[in-house]
Amino acid sequence: MTGDTGTTIINNVELTHVAVAPSGYPGEGLPEIAFVGKSNVGKSSLINCMINRKALARTSQTPGKTRTINFYNVENMLYFVDLPGYGFAKAPQTEIKKWGQMIEKYLLNRRQLRAIIMLVDIRHKPGENDIQMYEWLKYYGYDIIIAATKHDKLKRSQVKEAVGSVKEGFGLSAEDKLIPFSSETKEGREVLWEVIRGKVNEEG
């Protein structure tokens, strides 16, 4: 997966499973890395950037577009798992509750899950929904990597303060991982891939 220049090269990736229940999950037992984040935080753009594709993960200006759990087989080595966004979805409360239960069922019972990439917008302090999700994940002992998206929207002089604001909002410790990321410039891509490789190679 790594080229001569140290850049991660992805040749084969495919959306193989679209699920609303465990019966629709893959059965091969490959390691899985899940992506969670508020609606419209740039989750699909980040996944496309990570796999070097322009539009395999569908992006939308409409918050709450992803309403299923989407499994992307990457080089037949691991799955990227795109979970429905939380917050701001224009849908009936009954539908939003159903998505929440779908996400919870996956997160609580999936033994192939090695780590969770949680996306937040680097320009804003974490909101109530972000903090609730983070604390819920921490309560259940998940290994969480924060990807602070839209790094390209900031001036270089603003980055340190913005990163500090995100860390403060979540109450992160020095050991917690926070990676500034931009799908436009690919800032943070190789750092995030390095972390993912480490998680995939851990004993499940």
Side-chain angles (χ1 to χ4, degrees), residues 40-74:
N40 236 26
V41 75
K43 193 151 46 67
S44 296
S45 296
L46 180 143
I47 291 172
N48 284 326
C49 176
M50 293 296 290
I51 60 179
N52 269 342
R53 299 296 187 275
K54 290 193 174 177
L56 186 58
R58 285 163 286 181
T59 59
S60 173
Q61 295 302 310
T62 306
K65 188 73 173 175
T66 302
R67 302 186 182 189
T68 53
I69 300 177
N70 298 336
F71 293 82
Y72 297 90
N73 184 310
V74 182

Side-chain angles (χ1 to χ4, degrees), residues 9-201:
I9 298 169
I10 304 298
N11 293 313
N12 300 297
V13 59
E14 183 182 3
L15 174 61
T16 58
H17 295 74
V18 177
V20 295
S23 59
Y25 300 168
E28 305 97 310
L30 291 175
E32 294 174 5
I33 303 293
F35 294 81
V36 300
K38 190 182 293 180
S39 298
N40 236 26
V41 75
K43 193 151 46 67
S44 296
S45 296
L46 180 143
I47 291 172
N48 284 326
C49 176
M50 293 296 290
I51 60 179
N52 269 342
R53 299 296 187 275
K54 290 193 174 177
L56 186 58
R58 285 163 286 181
T59 59
S60 173
Q61 295 302 310
T62 306
K65 188 73 173 175
T66 302
R67 302 186 182 189
T68 53
I69 300 177
N70 298 336
F71 293 82
Y72 297 90
N73 184 310
V74 182
E75 299 285 6
N76 208 33
M77 294 175 62
L78 72 151
Y79 278 102
F80 277 0
V81 184
D82 186 6
L83 298 171
Y86 53 83
F88 301 126
K90 291 182 179 178
Q93 285 299 314
T94 52
E95 280 295 304
I96 293 171
K97 184 178 179 182
K98 195 182 298 181
W99 301 342
Q101 292 170 342
M102 181 169 59
I103 294 169
E104 189 170 332
K105 189 173 289 187
Y106 170 80
L107 291 173
L108 289 182
N109 299 296
R110 193 63 173 163
R111 64 179 180 80
Q112 290 92 334
L113 181 59
R114 296 292 173 83
I116 295 169
I117 313 295
M118 183 174 180
L119 282 69
V120 295
D121 189 327
I122 196 171
R123 299 170 298 175
H124 307 296
K125 201 163 185 176
E128 185 179 345
N129 287 331
D130 296 314
I131 293 168
Q132 284 179 351
M133 175 61 84
Y134 178 80
E135 290 179 348
W136 186 88
L137 294 170
K138 289 293 274 189
Y139 176 80
Y140 284 104
Y142 288 109
D143 196 354
I144 309 163
I145 299 102
I146 304 290
T149 64
K150 310 194 180 183
H151 174 269
D152 57 289
K153 305 293 185 187
L154 295 179
K155 296 176 182 175
R156 186 171 296 182
S157 59
Q158 297 174 307
V159 173
K160 185 176 180 181
E161 183 179 348
V163 167
S165 179
V166 173
K167 286 183 175 179
E168 182 184 352
F170 284 122
L172 299 185
S173 66
E175 295 77 38
D176 291 318
K177 295 184 179 68
L178 187 152
I179 301 170
F181 194 96
S182 168
S183 300
E184 295 294 323
T185 66
K186 299 191 184 331
E187 170 77 29
R189 180 180 185 268
E190 292 308 317
V191 177
L192 188 52
W193 260 121
E194 185 178 345
V195 172
I196 289 171
R197 276 191 286 268
K199 297 302 174 188
V200 167
N201 292 330

